[in-house]
Amino acid sequence: MIGVLIFPDFQILDASGPISVFEIAGRYAKSPASIRLIAAEPGPVRSSSGVEMLARKFGSPSAITTLVIAGGDGVEAAARNPCTLSFVRAVAKRGTRVASVCSGTFILAEAGLLDGRRATTHWVRTRQFLATYPAVKLEPDQIFVRDGSIWSSAGITAGIDLALAMVAEDHGEEIVQKTARQLVLYHRRSGGQSQFSSLLELKAPTGRFGPLLTWAREHLGTRLTVADLADRAGMSARHFTRAFVAETGTTPSKAIERLRIEVARSRVQSSSEAIERVAEATGFRDPERMRRAFIRAFGQPPQSLRRSARAG
């Protein structure tokens, strides 16, 4: 049975997104999924939107084959609920696959399931999460992260990406591709969540590292390692990296790559400049390296973006 754990003021898409994925995949696999909404208290559970979903009370942990924990405005209160934490620990203790969507990661962390493990959460929550759970190896740019039997995903719709990855593991590529097509989705989304974060107002970066990012944007053709950036910021590399992630929700290396991508995209789309020259000028050096970065960020190579811009 797939259990989807909710609580008062949960984000409704955190629950309904994965549920839809599992439902459709089960139909294609000719093995209908048994899905159950569960909560610390049975009955109607009000989401942050005001819409209610009917949940059953936590049952036996042994009945759960996959546990998906929603996030939302009420996650802090849920993470303080001894009943919820005890149930999550009991499920995980059996080696059962346990996953969080968005800020549901806070419940996993509060239950002690993420200490020393890799995880992710919504980019808005990065600073709070790092301060509260320093023992967790947070990877803020990932859409979802798997560390053993513990899975975590970024903001809201990333729960759909996580559920599709689980379907691929359970049923194989054919079923997950059919499921994604039915949902009108890419079954593997390109790029990390930093592309959606506030850091990416990069034309006029603000905050503590705004001047550094402005300087970096003006020097993309030079080497810009973490050590170089930390030295310019007057900090040790380790302290700089942690402070930068807490401030921006992404790593220094990812931020510099994104700066390179944005400048390169502008040059690719607005000029006839050779792709090789654009790669050199923006610090990618190798056109193939730039091509891979474009595919991660935009799902298509530079040449395709140029053709689209010209057609438009």
Side-chain angles (χ1 to χ4, degrees):
M1 180 182 72
I2 298 171
V4 180
L5 191 158
I6 59 175
F7 44 81
D9 287 326
F10 72 100
Q11 168 58 245
I12 198 164
L13 189 56
D14 287 2
S16 61
I19 287 172
S20 294
V21 171
F22 295 133
E23 174 207 351
I24 293 168
R27 191 185 310 155
Y28 280 121
K30 293 183 169 45
S31 176
S34 174
I35 309 168
R36 186 170 297 175
L37 279 169
I38 54 176
E41 296 295 332
V45 180
R46 184 182 176 88
S47 71
S48 56
S49 69
V51 175
E52 295 180 339
M53 296 182 78
L54 190 62
R56 302 188 186 188
K57 187 173 176 61
F58 300 146
S60 169
S62 63
I64 303 291
T65 56
T66 295
L67 178 65
V68 178
I69 302 169
D73 294 343
V75 73
E76 284 88 355
R80 293 192 299 268
N81 186 316
C83 180
T84 297
L85 296 179
S86 177
F87 178 76
V88 171
R89 291 187 190 110
V91 172
K93 187 176 180 180
R94 300 178 58 84
T96 301
R97 189 168 60 185
V98 177
S100 63
V101 180
C102 193
S103 57
T105 318
F106 281 73
I107 294 175
L108 291 181
E110 192 64 32
L113 301 181
L114 294 180
D115 288 354
R117 290 182 181 266
R118 297 163 50 246
T120 193
T121 193
H122 193 290
W123 63 268
V124 165
R125 298 272 192 165
T126 296
R127 184 183 301 182
Q128 178 189 1
F129 192 94
L130 284 169
T132 309
Y133 306 108
V136 181
K137 299 175 182 177
L138 192 69
E139 297 188 3
D141 190 48
Q142 299 301 309
I143 294 294
F144 68 87
V145 170
R146 178 185 182 180
D147 192 325
S149 61
I150 306 297
W151 302 53
S152 55
S153 63
I156 308 177
T157 60
I160 296 174
D161 298 86
L162 179 145
L164 286 168
M166 290 180 169
V167 167
E169 180 177 71
D170 294 343
H171 301 295
E173 285 296 303
E174 181 181 358
I175 297 300
V176 76
Q177 287 176 15
K178 287 181 177 179
T179 302
R181 283 198 297 268
Q182 177 68 22
L183 290 165
V184 197
L185 295 168
Y186 290 111
H187 96 271
R188 287 193 182 91
R189 196 189 329 186
S190 61
Q193 67 164 330
S194 71
Q195 63 187 302
F196 308 108
S197 77
S198 59
L199 168 68
L200 299 177
E201 300 297 327
L202 292 178
K203 292 184 179 178
T206 58
R208 179 180 179 183
F209 295 107
L212 177 65
L213 289 169
T214 298
W215 174 84
R217 187 183 182 89
E218 295 168 353
H219 294 82
L220 292 178
T222 64
R223 187 184 73 157
L224 293 173
T225 67
V226 172
D228 295 328
L229 296 170
D231 184 62
R232 185 163 184 86
M235 304 165 71
S236 71
R238 183 176 181 180
H239 178 52
F240 168 72
T241 298
R242 189 167 185 85
F244 191 92
V245 169
E247 171 94 10
T248 67
T250 193
T251 65
S253 296
K254 290 289 186 181
I256 294 303
E257 180 179 76
R258 188 66 190 189
L259 280 169
R260 296 191 199 280
I261 290 170
E262 288 299 331
V263 173
R265 179 174 67 170
S266 177
R267 293 175 73 149
V268 164
Q269 291 179 321
S270 64
S271 76
S272 298
E273 191 175 11
I275 297 298
E276 292 78 7
R277 173 58 189 152
V278 174
E280 178 70 23
T282 54
F284 283 110
R285 307 290 184 230
D286 179 8
E288 175 60 23
R289 182 182 169 200
M290 186 173 83
R291 188 186 74 85
R292 291 195 299 267
F294 268 55
I295 290 173
R296 286 195 299 272
F298 310 122
Q300 54 186 313
Q303 292 86 345
S304 295
L305 287 176
R306 174 168 282 175
R307 284 194 297 269
S308 297
R310 287 175 175 173

